[in-house]
Amino acid sequence: TEIYTLSLHDALPIYPAGKYNETTFSILRDLGIAAAFTEHPGAVRSLATPLALPRRRISSADSLEAFGALATP
């Protein structure tokens, strides 16, 4: 069994209340973070703006079929 330890560099932040700007991006770059998620719904279709990736919302009320549909590109 392998044990993994996560560090700040393994984290993919999500912006609180969806608020971010160029200063936020600069701080994340300085910390060595390469990607982060916004609160904008959608699938990642491009890595042109890796510090502002959209995300798909998953609810605890979603069925397995609904989750499968969200997890499919």
Side-chain angles (χ1 to χ4, degrees):
T1 302
E2 291 186 45
I3 297 176
Y4 296 95
T5 303
L6 296 178
S7 70
L8 178 62
H9 299 288
D10 299 316
L12 288 177
I14 298 173
Y15 303 109
K19 296 180 182 179
Y20 57 92
N21 57 29
E22 279 302 320
T23 301
T24 313
F25 295 160
S26 178
I27 291 168
L28 292 176
R29 281 188 213 100
D30 288 348
L31 291 171
I33 294 173
F37 289 97
T38 67
E39 292 214 345
H40 301 293
V44 174
R45 305 255 183 244
S46 166
L47 296 178
T49 55
L51 293 173
L53 299 171
R55 65 183 176 136
R56 292 183 172 172
R57 294 187 183 270
I58 299 170
S59 167
S60 61
D62 288 342
S63 67
L64 186 56
E65 290 78 17
F67 173 77
L70 287 173
T72 304

